Amino acid sequence: MFQKFSNPIIPGFNPDPSICRVGDTYYLVTSSFEYFPGVAIYRSRNLAEWELINHCLTRKSQLNLTNSRTSGGIYAPTLRYHEGIFYMITTNVDDRGNFLVYTDDITGEWSEPVWLSRGGIDPSLLFADGKVYFVSNQDSRGNQGIYLNEINPQTGENLSEEVLISKGCIGRFPEGPHLYKIDGTYYLLLAEGGTEYGHMVTIQRSSRPYGPYESCSANPVLSHRYKEDMSIMCTGHGDLVEDTNGRWWMTVLGVRTLSGEGYMSMLHNLGRETFLAPVTWENGWPVVGKNGTIDLVMEADLPAREKAAVFTGSYLIDTDFRPGSFSKQYLFLRNPEKDHYRFDESEQCLILSGGKAGLSDRTGSPTFLAVRQTEFAVDSKVTIRFPDQETRKLPDCTAAEARENVQNEELRCGITAFYNNEHHYDLCFVRKEGVSFVELRKQIYDLNAAVSRIAVPDGAITLEIRSDQEYYYFYASAGTEKPELIGKGAAAALCTEVTRRMSFTGTLIGIFCEQGTARIQDFVVRAKRPYK
Ligand code: 6LW
């Protein structure tokens, strides 16, 4: 039965989606770059509503981000299922490159990495003909192009020579290859044109896995490169899945630009998100979405009923930090120092212990935990308390922490809208030489400055970030006071398009602590999706 669904199906920084189906359940993974844990796993029964259920890479032995650059680490993943085993293959561009992990329980632990000798990025697998085919966008000698060979997925051993099967159809940078065998025909789906505003999905087919391949005359089968309505742009990096009713679907990445009523923008701050397109087949070729484009609201024959016809309204992002219910939404920058995040059972609060590592550093792992900003409009807040002024010691922090707090020349803790180390706005509760104040700091490229500051009393302080498509607004309050607007920062400065080097992530809303210890209570992030 046809019904409406909203795009993106997985909002916020969720790029390079890859999907597979097991029975009547759909699973999808997205890339995670310098963030830990790595490769989020989502689950759905109807393709329109998704739940974050786990991550593939939850141990440093699987995901060493020590040397991860900004927008380095984990690039595009592929998720496949074969004979009771899930396989996820991806690339750690700041470690040893392409590797795969596998499990028989997608909600549990995954294997140690099986490293592969093939170069390049965007690896993918096809289980067919009693073989395991492996494609990526380079061969093991660094030659560019879509190369195919057979491997043993348990050992990573190459079982056949690497063969160049495609140099792309119509665009530069052929990447994101996925190979399928559908009704005896081999299909090669590609991303071309680069992941920005020229992004495209193309498809080719052959009667043999090693080709020769015939390009679809309607290529690109999906692209927004010529679309005048710029609310969704950069669509590409697709993956195909057949549903329980024999209908086909494509997941793709795309961006919601900061365009609004009557004005266009080629900027996006939420990162590349995951979108869904219905697919039909004509003459053995896929027809994707509305003649190769997708909309924020679409109508299609979903494989199961969706709860809300079209999603609007607001929702809470899970920010629970209690042991046993610690939110799967939380991301850390590179590999976190676990003992910098302690939960105080008696007062039900999170104790953050920060060192010198800060949000503007290009390396290291500052004391910082964050959730994806999933909508332009969010209301987020956190209540922070520093060590007691007299004793300068939290009731139960260690003597070492108490000494550190006393000696600290500047203890700071706060809430941040964080894109990367050169693009973030931090609302900080600061204690410096015994004086407490709240300041709004902005890091934009090499400009790092406090742009406003207010004195505050000792005791608990509540800091808030509210946002819309134009600005982030920063508020502070003590006790039951009315929140006071401290300042604002343009959303445009936290966008992928403005970073000095190519970047691939999205803005997060997080909490952080530097040079001391603070207690965190009531971290709340509410996202609002106002569709036309
Ligand atoms: C991804 C590749 C790409 O691996 O960006 O620009 C990389 N194209 O397909 C990171 O998302």
Side-chain angles (χ1 to χ4, degrees):
M1 175 194 66
F2 267 60
Q3 54 179 316
K4 290 185 177 180
F5 67 89
S6 295
N7 266 320
I9 53 170
I10 306 180
F13 159 48
N14 279 290
D16 308 316
S18 175
I19 186 169
C20 73
R21 176 173 64 87
V22 182
D24 65 354
T25 305
Y26 303 84
Y27 298 96
L28 186 148
V29 292
T30 58
S31 42
S32 49
F33 301 94
E34 68 262 38
Y35 292 102
F36 186 93
V39 185
I41 306 169
Y42 296 89
R43 177 176 61 202
S44 175
R45 292 281 194 291
N46 62 22
L47 291 173
E49 294 156 299
W50 292 85
E51 174 198 6
L52 176 59
I53 60 167
N54 195 11
H55 287 81
C56 297
L57 309 175
T58 56
R59 307 187 300 272
K60 187 169 183 177
S61 59
Q62 297 168 309
L63 179 56
N64 184 350
L65 294 170
T66 307
N67 302 314
S68 173
R69 296 157 289 170
T70 297
S71 279
I74 296 297
Y75 275 39
T78 298
L79 180 67
R80 293 294 181 255
Y81 180 80
H82 181 66
E83 294 181 350
I85 303 289
F86 289 92
Y87 297 87
M88 191 284 291
I89 187 169
T90 187
T91 314
N92 185 336
V93 296
D94 290 318
D95 194 345
R96 293 167 54 189
N98 289 318
F99 69 97
L100 65 85
V101 291
Y102 54 84
T103 184
D104 59 3
D105 173 8
I106 197 164
T107 64
E109 292 288 319
W110 289 65
S111 72
E112 285 301 289
V114 176
W115 294 98
L116 303 159
S117 61
R118 177 76 65 74
I121 57 174
D122 298 356
S124 186
L125 299 172
L126 168 66
F127 293 85
D129 314 329
K131 298 173 180 176
V132 184
Y133 294 111
F134 166 37
V135 283
S136 76
N137 79 336
Q138 255 184 40
D139 69 3
S140 43
R141 290 175 298 283
N143 298 310
Q144 297 291 337
I146 306 302
Y147 282 83
L148 172 66
N149 76 327
E150 294 141 45
I151 64 165
N152 174 338
Q154 259 70 37
T155 65
E157 182 192 359
N158 286 320
L159 303 178
S160 69
E161 281 305 304
E162 298 163 336
V163 174
L164 175 64
I165 60 170
S166 175
K167 295 283 268 186
C169 301
I170 54 176
R172 60 182 182 160
F173 308 143
E175 54 199 359
H178 291 306
L179 195 59
Y180 310 89
K181 187 175 183 181
I182 303 171
D183 300 333
T185 298
Y186 295 87
Y187 286 90
L188 177 62
L189 196 70
L190 293 182
E192 297 190 47
T195 195
E196 305 78 20
Y197 290 76
H199 213 188
M200 299 175 274
V201 176
T202 65
I203 195 161
Q204 306 166 64
R205 69 186 179 193
S206 173
S207 58
R208 301 174 51 251
Y210 290 93
Y213 280 86
E214 166 203 7
S215 174
C216 175
S217 59
N219 274 331
V221 290
L222 176 129
S223 179
H224 280 212
R225 71 198 196 292
Y226 297 147
K227 203 165 183 209
E228 291 178 5
D229 167 2
M230 298 187 69
S231 47
I232 304 174
M233 296 307 287
C234 309
T235 49
H237 206 103
D239 199 3
L240 285 167
V241 68
E242 183 180 16
D243 74 16
T244 45
N245 304 319
R247 290 186 183 79
W248 286 81
W249 303 84
M250 184 183 287
T251 54
V252 288
L253 72 79
V255 306
R256 285 182 284 172
T257 67
L258 294 178
S259 303
E261 291 300 333
Y263 66 91
M264 291 195 294
S265 161
M266 290 179 77
L267 292 174
H268 72 280
N269 63 327
L270 301 180
R272 295 167 301 160
E273 305 174 278
T274 291
F275 292 75
L276 179 71
V279 173
T280 54
W281 292 85
E282 288 178 13
N283 307 318
W285 292 113
V287 177
V288 183
K290 292 166 67 175
N291 292 318
T293 68
I294 55 176
D295 287 329
L296 291 171
V297 176
M298 299 188 80
E299 195 159 12
D301 202 350
L302 293 173
R305 178 137 194 74
E306 183 196 12
K307 262 203 312 286
V310 172
F311 179 79
T312 58
S314 74
Y315 54 94
L316 279 175
I317 296 173
D318 181 2
T319 53
D320 192 336
F321 43 57
R322 290 170 299 168
S325 52
F326 192 81
S327 169
K328 295 183 182 66
Q329 298 289 349
Y330 276 129
L331 293 172
F332 299 90
L333 199 46
R334 299 182 191 88
N335 300 102
E337 302 284 344
K338 291 267 191 255
D339 59 358
H340 284 189
Y341 309 82
R342 284 190 299 121
F343 187 75
D344 178 302
E345 284 294 345
S346 62
E347 295 198 21
Q348 292 293 298
C349 69
L350 180 67
I351 295 184
L352 294 183
S353 303
K356 298 267 186 235
L359 296 174
S360 301
D361 297 346
R362 292 179 53 248
T363 60
S365 183
T367 299
F368 162 79
L369 71 164
V371 295
R372 295 168 178 83
Q373 180 182 345
T374 55
E375 305 296 342
F376 297 123
V378 291
D379 284 348
S380 48
K381 62 179 174 180
V382 66
T383 299
I384 300 169
R385 194 149 62 82
F386 278 149
D388 179 317
Q389 181 76 297
E390 284 63 48
T391 63
R392 295 216 182 187
K393 177 181 176 322
L394 289 174
D396 61 356
C397 70
T398 63
E401 284 162 347
R403 272 195 304 282
E404 187 177 347
N405 285 336
V406 170
Q407 289 150 14
N408 258 318
E409 72 276 14
E410 184 170 320
L411 164 58
R412 60 182 43 237
C413 180
I415 188 169
T416 177
F418 182 88
Y419 181 84
N420 71 15
N421 64 303
E422 289 194 335
H423 296 268
H424 53 96
Y425 297 140
D426 313 330
L427 186 59
C428 314
F429 179 20
V430 186
R431 172 177 289 154
K432 188 169 183 174
E433 286 133 25
V435 176
S436 299
F437 54 91
V438 167
E439 71 177 13
L440 173 57
R441 295 195 73 87
K442 294 184 179 179
Q443 174 84 47
I444 301 173
Y445 303 118
D446 56 355
L447 171 70
N448 183 324
V451 295
S452 56
R453 180 178 292 180
I454 60 167
V456 292
D458 268 331
I461 296 292
T462 296
L463 304 178
E464 297 185 43
I465 300 179
R466 301 174 195 168
S467 68
D468 57 25
Q469 261 183 305
E470 293 272 354
Y471 288 101
Y472 293 88
Y473 306 87
F474 301 89
Y475 294 82
S477 58
T480 55
E481 286 172 2
K482 183 175 178 298
E484 178 181 349
L485 180 65
I486 311 287
K488 67 181 184 179
L494 305 191
C495 286
T496 299
E497 291 84 357
V498 304
T499 57
R500 282 185 308 128
R501 294 186 181 172
M502 191 172 198
S503 63
F504 299 112
T505 55
T507 302
L508 309 182
I509 302 295
I511 49 182
F512 66 94
C513 185
E514 298 170 7
Q515 306 189 65
T517 301
R519 6 176 32 88
I520 301 294
Q521 284 169 313
D522 309 326
F523 179 38
V524 176
V525 181
R526 175 174 291 278
K528 298 181 283 187
R529 186 180 285 197
Y531 274 108
K532 303 177 187 72

